[in-house]
Amino acid sequence: MAGAGGGNDIQWCFSQVKGAVDDDVAEADIISTVEFNHSGELLATGDKGGRVVIFQQEQENKTQTHSRGEYNVYSTFQSHEPEFDYLKSLEIEEKINKIRWLPQKNAAQFLLSTNDKTIKLWKISERDKRPEGYNLKEEDGRYRDPTTVTTLRVPVFRPMDLMVEASPRRIFANAHTYHINSISINSDYETYLSADDLRINLWHLEITDRSFNIVDIKPANMEELTEVITAAEFHPNSCNTFVYSSSKGTIRLCDMRASALCDRHSKLFEEPEDPSNRSFFSEIISSISDVKFSHSGRYMMTRDYLSVKIWDLNMENRPVETYQVHEYLRSKLCSLYENDCIFDKFECCWNGSDSVVMTGSYNNFFRMFDRNTKRDITLEASRENNKPRTVLKPRKVCASGKRKKDEISVDSLFKKKEKEIKHMKWVSLGSMVKGVYVANKCFNDSWTVITPCRVWHQKKKKKKKTK
Amino acid sequence: MFARGIKRKCFDGEEDIEGTLAGFKSVPSYNLQRQSLLDMSLVKLQLCHMLVEPNLCRSVLIANTVRQIQEEMTQDGTWQVINAQNTGQASLDRLVSSDILCRSTKEQNEGKLVPSYSGFSKDFENTPSQDIISDLSTVTSVQAPRNPQSNNVWEMENSQENRGNFQKSLDQIFETLENKNPNSVEDLFSDVDNSYYDLDTVLTGMMNNTKMGHCDVLESFSSQTTTNSNSNCKSDINELDHIVEILVES
């Protein structure tokens, strides 16, 4: 994060929060997933009610260099509806589990959204012009009597208020018996994978009535089931390579060229267990909740309950870097098991240059780790104390003993159990970080954008420049 | 008594063992803590069935924890002792499958089965409905002793007592959910300390009734919930709203 010359540090400023003011929000409005598009201009959020809301960043005002464009509602549509599985007598939730944007090819935007069972491809297009001056139709659409037409004119396009339309283009259904937890678009931009607890399927974006099963870990006898798939992702550059993580803390890298069914992994990434930390909860906390390739494709990052690990794809026997997210929770695992918090799944993400990784924690905290300087920082995304462009102060949690001023004790974290930051998204443009989104279960249906502001220190006089 | 220098990591900090003074503090024994962890895990597994669709990952992790405890207990020799006391069953020289692990001891005594891990996981399969019915037949309510041969849940007697029991269990659930945070299992069970197994019966009864699709009991359940809903239902009793919605729709 340090730069040349006088030296500059990136600090983080609170930018914007959207959502309900009070905590008493309807269940259906709770945000379940978020995703920036590739440019960072659009932010898509999915909620428990099956709705997708897309926000667009307003164009930056060139005169005000320090104002970062705010995100405003761009489009809202109902992506999934609740369904009922009559055979099993179970309801299929409409909650959106994942959203993934397709790279933009033309004026329209495309995204994939999925609930537990069905994936849908949505097209979001703008309309800001409409044709006027038809010969055979009136302006309101009624047809004219052809005999009344005396002259002919060419219809012209006139501007109209911007209308953003979302239409479902493909519905990929009936391919998953278990709950879909991941979707990942291939670098060929033609295929994508969808993963549930026990199987991974490969789809072609144009073909909805067929998908290929590429991983199947379901045992013949379900009583022997001890491991499930927790996340899967395609490699950013090699269109034949993907990884999937498991509840036992392993990551398998598969090559689709090897065989049609990639049950036999090409590489198995697993860190040997630390015998001094062994407990009944070891397996649960080793369960991987998220796996993300670096932009370079050389590394991948995994998130388990207490840590973030960075793996070099060339080395399978241990990660190259490990960062502790909230080690102070290790002594509380029994309580966390009791109240089910130990099963919470956190996400993680890379910045654009792969130099910083970020993940969420409880109590509105999110953690950033600089891989180069080995510095880490804890920030709080709490809108209660923050106004726009407030520089966020680093927070510290004290594990035990005397609590210093400004520190937070571990026990106070458990007072509000609902506060957790699970979704962390980092959109970057080259090596410039554009924005960080934070979705908060406590805030229920709100999200926060936190952006970097650069603080310059010069030798003689201190000039503060924000970006 | 804990050996010096060995820290037991799986239990809370408040019972922190700091080296030499370990033996002198009033710390619950490791066996007791392990047993309570086992009990907690079994209850969690059973609670899974109350929800509409259990989270498979969570269930697998809990079941693995149970298996781990059971393996350790078998090595210690404590598992056989406990089982012999509770069930009186003779053949315990094999590793007990998770199927039996998921039975509460009370129901073991009465020879009933709660939905085992294999049982509920079968629900995920696209099995023909007949298999589902035969799976459900293993889930018995309190009335089971009267219909030991009943293989078809549709034949369950629609007795007043059935309704009464169900009403009671419904009230219990509403009461606990109303007062506490429904998302916290700990809160849900904070009152139910030793009576895990009573709750088991309640849950089994609930599950049995909610799983039935076409029974007369279903209709009585719907009508009961509507009368209850005015007094007890709050918007945050999500699980039961869910169940009612499904039943009403079907």
Side-chain angles (χ1 to χ4, degrees):
Chain A
M1 285 192 194
N8 52 60
D9 290 324
I10 290 188
Q11 289 193 321
W12 291 90
C13 304
F14 184 87
S15 175
Q16 185 187 358
V17 66
K18 282 262 199 229
V21 178
D22 46 50
D23 287 334
D24 194 19
V25 175
E27 177 87 8
D29 290 335
I30 294 178
I31 290 179
S32 49
T33 188
V34 289
E35 187 81 354
F36 281 106
N37 75 336
H38 297 272
S39 65
E41 186 204 350
L42 298 173
L43 174 62
T45 64
D47 64 23
K48 276 190 168 184
R51 261 189 326 248
V52 171
V53 182
I54 302 177
F55 299 84
Q56 183 186 42
Q57 192 177 36
E58 64 189 29
Q59 296 305 311
E60 280 184 43
N61 201 331
K62 286 184 184 163
T63 56
Q64 294 177 294
T65 50
H66 58 269
S67 87
R68 188 153 290 278
E70 274 208 348
Y71 284 85
N72 299 309
V73 177
Y74 178 67
S75 171
T76 306
F77 55 93
Q78 185 75 30
S79 174
H80 286 74
E81 299 275 0
E83 288 169 44
F84 192 77
D85 184 336
Y86 290 94
L87 192 63
K88 296 180 208 164
S89 219
L90 291 170
E91 191 177 277
I92 300 171
E93 276 193 315
E94 66 273 33
K95 172 174 74 107
I96 309 291
N97 291 341
K98 280 281 167 6
I99 292 175
R100 290 285 182 261
W101 289 92
L102 266 69
Q104 191 173 12
K105 283 192 223 174
N106 50 40
Q109 301 276 359
F110 287 87
L111 60 78
L112 285 175
S113 76
T114 183
N115 68 347
D116 285 337
K117 302 284 187 185
T118 306
I119 306 132
K120 293 189 185 181
L121 176 70
W122 287 87
K123 176 180 177 184
I124 298 106
S125 48
E126 288 184 7
R127 198 191 294 202
D128 60 356
K129 294 186 256 294
R130 64 177 182 152
E132 280 181 25
Y134 281 102
N135 293 293
L136 294 174
K137 273 196 297 188
E138 301 283 1
E139 292 306 324
D140 56 11
R142 280 180 306 154
Y143 279 96
R144 272 188 191 166
D145 182 359
T147 56
T148 63
V149 177
T150 52
T151 58
L152 288 177
R153 55 189 174 167
V154 178
V156 291
F157 275 97
R158 294 217 189 278
M160 62 179 247
D161 289 338
L162 179 66
M163 209 167 70
V164 181
E165 298 168 322
S167 57
R169 298 310 256 192
R170 306 268 187 277
I171 296 177
F172 306 92
N174 301 321
H176 286 278
T177 310
Y178 305 96
H179 292 183
I180 298 174
N181 53 52
S182 315
I183 46 176
S184 176
I185 298 169
N186 206 347
S187 48
D188 63 8
Y189 302 145
E190 283 186 355
T191 56
Y192 74 94
L193 63 77
S194 58
D196 65 29
D197 294 317
L198 297 177
R199 296 193 180 100
I200 302 179
N201 294 333
L202 180 72
W203 302 83
H204 192 283
L205 284 165
E206 301 290 325
I207 299 168
T208 59
D209 59 359
R210 202 183 335 153
S211 79
F212 293 98
N213 177 240
I214 51 178
V215 172
D216 188 343
I217 64 167
K218 179 173 166 297
N221 183 2
M222 278 295 271
E223 277 205 46
E224 293 163 6
L225 180 66
T226 56
E227 194 174 6
V228 300
I229 297 171
T230 51
E233 197 181 50
F234 265 119
H235 191 274
N237 305 320
S238 307
C239 57
N240 50 273
T241 308
F242 66 93
V243 293
Y244 67 94
S245 60
S246 81
S247 56
K248 284 198 172 173
T250 64
I251 309 102
R252 287 173 175 80
L253 184 140
C254 300
D255 189 332
M256 294 197 289
R257 297 170 299 189
S259 65
L261 188 63
C262 300
D263 273 358
R264 294 181 57 181
H265 52 264
S266 301
K267 293 196 183 193
L268 174 68
F269 298 85
E270 188 173 14
E271 186 173 23
E273 204 176 1
D274 178 9
S276 66
N277 270 336
R278 176 123 186 81
S279 75
F280 287 121
F281 306 109
S282 294
E283 186 184 307
I284 300 178
I285 62 169
S286 74
S287 174
I288 291 172
S289 53
D290 195 14
V291 62
K292 290 267 166 52
F293 277 106
S294 65
H295 292 90
S296 62
R298 166 89 190 266
Y299 299 96
M300 68 177 174
M301 167 166 56
T302 58
R303 173 74 156 98
D304 50 75
Y305 190 64
L306 294 179
S307 66
V308 161
K309 292 179 184 171
I310 303 205
W311 304 78
D312 185 325
L313 291 187
N314 300 317
M315 186 161 76
E316 298 168 60
N317 56 2
R318 60 178 171 82
V320 289
E321 293 156 40
T322 303
Y323 301 102
Q324 300 302 329
V325 181
H326 34 219
E327 183 69 10
Y328 46 80
L329 294 181
R330 194 180 286 275
S331 58
K332 304 276 184 187
L333 290 179
C334 201
S335 299
L336 293 164
Y337 180 71
E338 225 179 331
N339 63 20
D340 273 355
C341 280
I342 207 173
F343 301 107
D344 289 334
K345 291 183 190 265
F346 293 90
E347 295 187 17
C348 55
C349 56
W350 301 83
N351 76 334
S353 57
D354 295 338
S355 62
V356 180
V357 297
M358 185 178 66
T359 187
S361 176
Y362 291 105
N363 208 57
N364 301 343
F365 287 174
F366 60 100
R367 302 264 284 139
M368 288 194 240
F369 304 95
D370 189 320
R371 297 177 65 210
N372 299 324
T373 65
K374 299 301 176 196
R375 286 197 323 211
D376 66 89
I377 190 169
T378 304
L379 294 174
E380 183 177 355
S382 163
R383 60 159 180 224
E384 288 149 354
N385 303 324
N386 289 313
K387 289 173 286 189
R389 287 191 291 283
T390 312
V391 176
L392 297 173
K393 278 193 304 192
R395 305 305 301 266
K396 218 169 143 62
V397 178
C398 80
S400 58
K402 298 161 207 165
R403 185 168 71 90
K404 292 179 205 156
K405 187 185 150 195
D406 278 349
E407 275 187 358
I408 296 178
S409 74
V410 179
D411 293 318
S412 71
L413 291 183
F414 284 83
K415 279 185 186 156
K416 281 196 182 177
K417 286 173 196 163
E418 296 305 306
K419 276 191 173 188
E420 45 193 72
I421 294 183
K422 296 205 276 197
H423 305 288
M424 305 297 300
K425 291 295 169 185
W426 188 312
V427 171
S428 64
L429 210 60
S431 63
M432 274 168 32
V433 175
K434 231 183 165 200
V436 162
Y437 153 91
V438 161
N440 219 315
K441 204 176 170 199
C442 172
F443 295 161
N444 291 334
D445 72 337
S446 77
W447 49 265
T448 311
V449 176
I450 297 171
T451 55
C453 50
R454 195 154 294 195
V455 178
W456 244 274
H457 298 287
Q458 287 195 340
K459 277 186 183 173
K460 280 185 187 164
K461 47 181 177 176
K462 272 195 180 175
K463 229 190 220 176
K464 265 198 180 175
K465 233 191 220 177
T466 54
K467 192 157 190 164
Chain B
M1 197 86 153
F2 287 85
R4 267 177 72 154
I6 297 175
K7 244 187 180 173
R8 295 293 184 184
K9 296 280 180 176
C10 68
F11 301 107
D12 273 7
E14 43 261 19
E15 289 125 27
D16 206 359
I17 306 116
E18 298 286 340
T20 58
L21 291 176
F24 296 92
K25 290 188 184 176
S26 58
V27 174
S29 77
Y30 175 70
N31 283 346
L32 203 65
Q33 288 176 322
R34 186 175 58 184
Q35 182 63 41
S36 77
L37 188 64
L38 178 64
D39 292 340
M40 199 199 311
S41 307
L42 292 175
V43 171
K44 278 182 187 293
L45 278 177
Q46 289 168 352
L47 192 66
C48 281
H49 298 290
M50 195 176 157
L51 301 177
V52 180
E53 266 208 280
N55 183 330
L56 188 64
C57 181
R58 181 173 169 272
S59 309
V60 166
L61 289 172
I62 297 171
N64 287 351
T65 309
V66 166
R67 220 175 266 127
Q68 209 187 331
I69 296 172
Q70 181 249 313
E71 274 169 20
E72 195 181 287
M73 285 171 97
T74 310
Q75 282 169 8
D76 282 353
T78 47
W79 177 255
Q80 291 199 2
V81 173
I82 290 170
N83 251 0
Q85 285 171 352
N86 290 336
T87 65
Q89 288 178 5
S91 55
L92 289 169
D93 40 12
R94 58 177 175 88
L95 267 186
V96 181
S97 75
S98 55
D99 182 48
I100 300 174
L101 277 179
C102 294
R103 297 185 206 181
S104 68
T105 56
K106 184 182 177 187
E107 268 140 349
Q108 278 175 338
N109 286 337
E110 295 177 81
K112 290 180 228 159
L113 291 174
V114 295
S116 69
Y117 179 66
S118 62
F120 93 77
S121 61
K122 274 185 194 155
D123 294 342
F124 281 112
E125 296 291 305
N126 277 321
T127 55
S129 46
Q130 189 56 44
D131 282 353
I132 293 174
I133 292 171
S134 59
D135 272 344
L136 288 174
S137 69
T138 65
V139 177
T140 57
S141 73
V142 196
Q143 284 74 40
R146 293 188 209 154
N147 301 317
Q149 296 306 316
S150 168
N151 230 11
N152 189 349
V153 291
W154 315 142
E155 290 165 16
M156 287 284 288
E157 278 179 31
N158 184 14
S159 62
Q160 274 304 118
E161 199 178 331
N162 191 14
R163 282 193 222 196
N165 272 333
F166 188 76
Q167 178 73 18
K168 188 177 80 171
S169 51
L170 201 62
D171 284 343
Q172 279 178 338
I173 302 285
F174 271 119
E175 198 181 309
T176 49
L177 288 177
E178 196 180 329
N179 296 333
K180 329 264 180 183
N181 177 358
N183 289 327
S184 168
V185 173
E186 181 185 6
D187 285 348
L188 200 60
F189 290 116
S190 59
D191 288 344
V192 191
D193 198 11
N194 292 322
S195 48
Y196 279 154
Y197 305 116
D198 289 338
L199 197 58
D200 287 347
T201 319
V202 161
L203 289 173
T204 318
M206 271 286 295
M207 198 214 137
N208 188 29
N209 283 303
T210 56
K211 279 283 186 181
M212 285 188 270
H214 305 288
C215 193
D216 284 346
V217 180
L218 170 66
E219 282 154 34
S220 68
F221 169 46
S222 306
S223 60
Q224 278 167 8
T225 27
T226 35
T227 53
N228 269 331
S229 61
N230 295 332
S231 52
N232 291 331
C233 260
K234 282 188 181 176
S235 58
D236 56 355
I237 308 178
N238 295 319
E239 290 93 338
L240 280 144
D241 277 347
H242 236 346
I243 292 167
V244 170
E245 267 170 48
I246 297 163
L247 293 165
V248 168
E249 277 171 16
S250 64

